[in-house]
mmCIF file of all heavy atoms in Angstrom:
data_model
loop_
_atom_site.group_PDB
_atom_site.id
_atom_site.type_symbol
_atom_site.label_atom_id
_atom_site.label_comp_id
_atom_site.label_asym_id
_atom_site.label_seq_id
_atom_site.Cartn_x
_atom_site.Cartn_y
_atom_site.Cartn_z
ATOM 1 N N ALA K 1747 109.066 84.877 144.112
ATOM 2 C CA ALA K 1747 108.422 84.870 145.429
ATOM 3 C C ALA K 1747 108.231 86.290 145.937
ATOM 4 O O ALA K 1747 107.197 86.639 146.517
ATOM 5 C CB ALA K 1747 109.264 84.055 146.409
ATOM 6 N N ARG K 1748 109.217 87.144 145.670
ATOM 7 C CA ARG K 1748 109.159 88.522 146.172
ATOM 8 C C ARG K 1748 108.080 89.326 145.455
ATOM 9 O O ARG K 1748 107.352 90.103 146.085
ATOM 10 C CB ARG K 1748 110.531 89.175 145.988
ATOM 11 C CG ARG K 1748 110.666 90.539 146.662
ATOM 12 C CD ARG K 1748 112.075 91.060 146.487
ATOM 13 N NE ARG K 1748 113.047 90.177 147.131
ATOM 14 C CZ ARG K 1748 114.360 90.259 146.938
ATOM 15 N NH1 ARG K 1748 114.851 91.155 146.104
ATOM 16 N NH2 ARG K 1748 115.168 89.432 147.582
ATOM 17 N N VAL K 1749 107.955 89.168 144.140
ATOM 18 C CA VAL K 1749 106.956 89.958 143.432
ATOM 19 C C VAL K 1749 105.552 89.512 143.809
ATOM 20 O O VAL K 1749 104.619 90.330 143.867
ATOM 21 C CB VAL K 1749 107.180 89.879 141.906
ATOM 22 C CG1 VAL K 1749 106.798 88.520 141.331
ATOM 23 C CG2 VAL K 1749 106.400 90.981 141.196
ATOM 24 N N GLN K 1750 105.357 88.227 144.106
ATOM 25 C CA GLN K 1750 104.042 87.775 144.574
ATOM 26 C C GLN K 1750 103.727 88.350 145.955
ATOM 27 O O GLN K 1750 102.603 88.773 146.223
ATOM 28 C CB GLN K 1750 104.013 86.239 144.609
ATOM 29 C CG GLN K 1750 104.055 85.602 143.226
ATOM 30 C CD GLN K 1750 104.173 84.089 143.299
ATOM 31 O OE1 GLN K 1750 103.164 83.386 143.426
ATOM 32 N NE2 GLN K 1750 105.394 83.573 143.214
ATOM 33 N N ARG K 1751 104.727 88.359 146.820
ATOM 34 C CA ARG K 1751 104.537 88.948 148.150
ATOM 35 C C ARG K 1751 104.155 90.419 148.049
ATOM 36 O O ARG K 1751 103.207 90.890 148.692
ATOM 37 C CB ARG K 1751 105.836 88.802 148.959
ATOM 38 C CG ARG K 1751 105.797 89.446 150.342
ATOM 39 C CD ARG K 1751 107.213 89.672 150.859
ATOM 40 N NE ARG K 1751 107.903 90.663 150.037
ATOM 41 C CZ ARG K 1751 109.200 90.935 150.130
ATOM 42 N NH1 ARG K 1751 109.957 90.259 150.986
ATOM 43 N NH2 ARG K 1751 109.746 91.865 149.377
ATOM 44 N N ASP K 1752 104.882 91.167 147.212
ATOM 45 C CA ASP K 1752 104.609 92.603 147.098
ATOM 46 C C ASP K 1752 103.284 92.875 146.396
ATOM 47 O O ASP K 1752 102.622 93.884 146.663
ATOM 48 C CB ASP K 1752 105.753 93.290 146.348
ATOM 49 C CG ASP K 1752 107.041 93.338 147.169
ATOM 50 O OD1 ASP K 1752 106.981 93.073 148.379
ATOM 51 O OD2 ASP K 1752 108.107 93.629 146.581
ATOM 52 N N THR K 1753 102.869 91.980 145.499
ATOM 53 C CA THR K 1753 101.567 92.144 144.851
ATOM 54 C C THR K 1753 100.443 92.040 145.874
ATOM 55 O O THR K 1753 99.488 92.835 145.855
ATOM 56 C CB THR K 1753 101.384 91.093 143.739
ATOM 57 O OG1 THR K 1753 102.394 91.270 142.748
ATOM 58 C CG2 THR K 1753 100.015 91.221 143.088
ATOM 59 N N LEU K 1754 100.543 91.078 146.786
ATOM 60 C CA LEU K 1754 99.519 90.955 147.835
ATOM 61 C C LEU K 1754 99.549 92.148 148.775
ATOM 62 O O LEU K 1754 98.505 92.580 149.274
ATOM 63 C CB LEU K 1754 99.724 89.653 148.606
ATOM 64 C CG LEU K 1754 99.443 88.364 147.823
ATOM 65 C CD1 LEU K 1754 99.532 87.145 148.740
ATOM 66 C CD2 LEU K 1754 98.082 88.409 147.141
ATOM 67 N N ARG K 1755 100.719 92.689 149.031
ATOM 68 C CA ARG K 1755 100.786 93.912 149.822
ATOM 69 C C ARG K 1755 99.996 95.032 149.141
ATOM 70 O O ARG K 1755 99.254 95.779 149.795
ATOM 71 C CB ARG K 1755 102.246 94.362 149.984
ATOM 72 C CG ARG K 1755 103.072 93.566 150.978
ATOM 73 C CD ARG K 1755 104.493 94.098 150.978
ATOM 74 N NE ARG K 1755 105.306 93.531 152.034
ATOM 75 C CZ ARG K 1755 106.605 93.755 152.175
ATOM 76 N NH1 ARG K 1755 107.230 94.540 151.308
ATOM 77 N NH2 ARG K 1755 107.282 93.207 153.164
ATOM 78 N N MET K 1756 100.183 95.145 147.818
ATOM 79 C CA MET K 1756 99.515 96.211 147.079
ATOM 80 C C MET K 1756 98.005 96.035 147.062
ATOM 81 O O MET K 1756 97.253 97.008 147.192
ATOM 82 C CB MET K 1756 100.038 96.220 145.632
ATOM 83 C CG MET K 1756 101.493 96.612 145.484
ATOM 84 S SD MET K 1756 101.742 98.359 145.759
ATOM 85 C CE MET K 1756 100.695 99.050 144.517
ATOM 86 N N ILE K 1757 97.547 94.798 146.885
ATOM 87 C CA ILE K 1757 96.130 94.565 146.655
ATOM 88 C C ILE K 1757 95.350 94.360 147.948
ATOM 89 O O ILE K 1757 94.217 94.837 148.073
ATOM 90 C CB ILE K 1757 95.943 93.330 145.733
ATOM 91 C CG1 ILE K 1757 96.697 93.539 144.418
ATOM 92 C CG2 ILE K 1757 94.471 93.068 145.479
ATOM 93 C CD1 ILE K 1757 96.337 94.810 143.686
ATOM 94 N N ILE K 1758 95.938 93.683 148.914
ATOM 95 C CA ILE K 1758 95.212 93.353 150.148
ATOM 96 C C ILE K 1758 95.568 94.299 151.289
ATOM 97 O O ILE K 1758 94.687 94.919 151.891
ATOM 98 C CB ILE K 1758 95.484 91.892 150.547
ATOM 99 C CG1 ILE K 1758 94.871 90.955 149.500
ATOM 100 C CG2 ILE K 1758 94.909 91.589 151.922
ATOM 101 C CD1 ILE K 1758 95.100 89.485 149.770
ATOM 102 N N ASP K 1759 96.854 94.433 151.576
ATOM 103 C CA ASP K 1759 97.257 95.204 152.753
ATOM 104 C C ASP K 1759 96.969 96.697 152.595
ATOM 105 O O ASP K 1759 96.534 97.356 153.544
ATOM 106 C CB ASP K 1759 98.744 94.984 153.040
ATOM 107 C CG ASP K 1759 99.061 93.522 153.326
ATOM 108 O OD1 ASP K 1759 98.109 92.751 153.567
ATOM 109 O OD2 ASP K 1759 100.247 93.142 153.289
ATOM 110 N N ARG K 1760 97.193 97.243 151.384
ATOM 111 C CA ARG K 1760 96.976 98.685 151.194
ATOM 112 C C ARG K 1760 95.500 99.048 151.209
ATOM 113 O O ARG K 1760 95.148 100.216 151.363
ATOM 114 C CB ARG K 1760 97.601 99.150 149.874
ATOM 115 C CG ARG K 1760 99.105 99.167 149.897
ATOM 116 C CD ARG K 1760 99.692 99.733 148.608
ATOM 117 N NE ARG K 1760 99.674 101.188 148.583
ATOM 118 C CZ ARG K 1760 98.920 101.924 147.790
ATOM 119 N NH1 ARG K 1760 98.072 101.331 146.956
ATOM 120 N NH2 ARG K 1760 98.985 103.240 147.818
ATOM 121 N N LYS K 1761 94.643 98.040 151.039
ATOM 122 C CA LYS K 1761 93.205 98.315 151.098
ATOM 123 C C LYS K 1761 92.800 98.771 152.497
ATOM 124 O O LYS K 1761 91.938 99.649 152.655
ATOM 125 C CB LYS K 1761 92.427 97.053 150.709
ATOM 126 C CG LYS K 1761 90.933 97.248 150.599
ATOM 127 C CD LYS K 1761 90.269 95.973 150.101
ATOM 128 C CE LYS K 1761 88.771 96.161 149.942
ATOM 129 N NZ LYS K 1761 88.106 94.925 149.454
ATOM 130 N N ASN K 1762 93.433 98.177 153.495
ATOM 131 C CA ASN K 1762 93.135 98.547 154.877
ATOM 132 C C ASN K 1762 94.080 99.609 155.413
ATOM 133 O O ASN K 1762 93.749 100.313 156.369
ATOM 134 C CB ASN K 1762 93.216 97.304 155.764
ATOM 135 C CG ASN K 1762 92.214 96.240 155.352
ATOM 136 O OD1 ASN K 1762 91.081 96.561 154.991
ATOM 137 N ND2 ASN K 1762 92.629 94.975 155.392
ATOM 138 N N ASP K 1763 95.268 99.704 154.803
ATOM 139 C CA ASP K 1763 96.264 100.664 155.283
ATOM 140 C C ASP K 1763 96.937 101.309 154.074
ATOM 141 O O ASP K 1763 97.906 100.776 153.539
ATOM 142 C CB ASP K 1763 97.306 99.945 156.155
ATOM 143 C CG ASP K 1763 98.384 100.891 156.656
ATOM 144 O OD1 ASP K 1763 98.212 102.128 156.528
ATOM 145 O OD2 ASP K 1763 99.419 100.397 157.166
ATOM 146 N N PRO K 1764 96.437 102.453 153.608
ATOM 147 C CA PRO K 1764 97.014 103.104 152.427
ATOM 148 C C PRO K 1764 98.489 103.454 152.586
ATOM 149 O O PRO K 1764 99.187 103.644 151.581
ATOM 150 C CB PRO K 1764 96.159 104.374 152.264
ATOM 151 C CG PRO K 1764 94.875 104.055 152.952
ATOM 152 C CD PRO K 1764 95.235 103.160 154.096
ATOM 153 N N ALA K 1765 98.964 103.536 153.829
ATOM 154 C CA ALA K 1765 100.373 103.851 154.064
ATOM 155 C C ALA K 1765 101.247 102.608 154.105
ATOM 156 O O ALA K 1765 102.441 102.696 154.390
ATOM 157 C CB ALA K 1765 100.515 104.630 155.376
ATOM 158 N N CYS K 1766 100.651 101.456 153.832
ATOM 159 C CA CYS K 1766 101.406 100.200 153.860
ATOM 160 C C CYS K 1766 102.542 100.241 152.846
ATOM 161 O O CYS K 1766 102.369 100.771 151.744
ATOM 162 C CB CYS K 1766 100.457 99.045 153.554
ATOM 163 S SG CYS K 1766 101.260 97.451 153.309
ATOM 164 N N PRO K 1767 103.701 99.678 153.167
ATOM 165 C CA PRO K 1767 104.805 99.644 152.205
ATOM 166 C C PRO K 1767 104.399 98.913 150.913
ATOM 167 O O PRO K 1767 103.676 97.920 150.949
ATOM 168 C CB PRO K 1767 105.906 98.871 152.946
ATOM 169 C CG PRO K 1767 105.573 99.031 154.393
ATOM 170 C CD PRO K 1767 104.079 99.085 154.463
ATOM 171 N N THR K 1768 104.869 99.422 149.796
ATOM 172 C CA THR K 1768 104.545 98.825 148.496
ATOM 173 C C THR K 1768 105.649 97.898 148.002
ATOM 174 O O THR K 1768 105.619 97.464 146.853
ATOM 175 C CB THR K 1768 104.308 99.925 147.452
ATOM 176 O OG1 THR K 1768 105.494 100.732 147.336
ATOM 177 C CG2 THR K 1768 103.135 100.809 147.847
ATOM 178 N N GLY K 1769 106.600 97.595 148.860
ATOM 179 C CA GLY K 1769 107.682 96.715 148.446
ATOM 180 C C GLY K 1769 108.501 97.362 147.346
ATOM 181 O O GLY K 1769 108.882 98.532 147.436
ATOM 182 N N ALA K 1770 108.755 96.624 146.271
ATOM 183 C CA ALA K 1770 109.560 97.148 145.160
ATOM 184 C C ALA K 1770 108.707 97.770 144.067
ATOM 185 O O ALA K 1770 109.222 98.104 143.002
ATOM 186 C CB ALA K 1770 110.429 96.034 144.582
ATOM 187 N N PHE K 1771 107.412 97.924 144.294
ATOM 188 C CA PHE K 1771 106.553 98.559 143.304
ATOM 189 C C PHE K 1771 106.660 100.074 143.387
ATOM 190 O O PHE K 1771 106.621 100.653 144.474
ATOM 191 C CB PHE K 1771 105.094 98.137 143.494
ATOM 192 C CG PHE K 1771 104.758 96.804 142.888
ATOM 193 C CD1 PHE K 1771 104.472 95.716 143.687
ATOM 194 C CD2 PHE K 1771 104.740 96.641 141.517
ATOM 195 C CE1 PHE K 1771 104.164 94.479 143.137
ATOM 196 C CE2 PHE K 1771 104.441 95.418 140.942
ATOM 197 C CZ PHE K 1771 104.149 94.336 141.758
ATOM 198 N N GLU K 1772 106.768 100.695 142.219
ATOM 199 C CA GLU K 1772 106.870 102.146 142.118
ATOM 200 C C GLU K 1772 105.764 102.655 141.197
ATOM 201 O O GLU K 1772 105.601 102.161 140.075
ATOM 202 C CB GLU K 1772 108.246 102.523 141.551
ATOM 203 C CG GLU K 1772 108.395 103.990 141.224
ATOM 204 C CD GLU K 1772 109.633 104.280 140.402
ATOM 205 O OE1 GLU K 1772 110.367 103.324 140.042
ATOM 206 O OE2 GLU K 1772 109.863 105.461 140.088
ATOM 207 N N LEU K 1773 105.015 103.633 141.658
ATOM 208 C CA LEU K 1773 103.951 104.213 140.838
ATOM 209 C C LEU K 1773 104.583 105.036 139.720
ATOM 210 O O LEU K 1773 105.313 105.996 139.970
ATOM 211 C CB LEU K 1773 103.047 105.099 141.687
ATOM 212 C CG LEU K 1773 101.870 105.765 140.962
ATOM 213 C CD1 LEU K 1773 100.892 104.717 140.443
ATOM 214 C CD2 LEU K 1773 101.157 106.753 141.877
ATOM 215 N N ILE K 1774 104.315 104.655 138.463
ATOM 216 C CA ILE K 1774 104.913 105.384 137.337
ATOM 217 C C ILE K 1774 103.873 106.132 136.512
ATOM 218 O O ILE K 1774 104.232 106.999 135.704
ATOM 219 C CB ILE K 1774 105.712 104.441 136.410
ATOM 220 C CG1 ILE K 1774 104.800 103.363 135.813
ATOM 221 C CG2 ILE K 1774 106.895 103.848 137.142
ATOM 222 C CD1 ILE K 1774 105.462 102.571 134.683
ATOM 223 N N TYR K 1775 102.594 105.797 136.698
ATOM 224 C CA TYR K 1775 101.581 106.514 135.945
ATOM 225 C C TYR K 1775 100.245 106.411 136.657
ATOM 226 O O TYR K 1775 99.813 105.320 137.020
ATOM 227 C CB TYR K 1775 101.437 105.948 134.528
ATOM 228 C CG TYR K 1775 100.503 106.745 133.640
ATOM 229 C CD1 TYR K 1775 100.944 107.904 133.006
ATOM 230 C CD2 TYR K 1775 99.183 106.359 133.449
ATOM 231 C CE1 TYR K 1775 100.091 108.645 132.191
ATOM 232 C CE2 TYR K 1775 98.325 107.090 132.647
ATOM 233 C CZ TYR K 1775 98.784 108.232 132.017
ATOM 234 O OH TYR K 1775 97.940 108.965 131.221
#
Side-chain angles (χ1 to χ4, degrees):
R1748 189 177 298 168
V1749 72
Q1750 292 174 85
R1751 177 199 66 189
D1752 290 347
T1753 299
L1754 292 186
R1755 284 178 172 174
M1756 293 287 301
I1757 303 305
I1758 294 179
D1759 299 346
R1760 289 184 80 249
K1761 186 175 182 180
N1762 299 321
D1763 179 12
C1766 171
T1768 59
F1771 279 111
E1772 172 192 2
L1773 181 64
I1774 61 169
Y1775 186 81

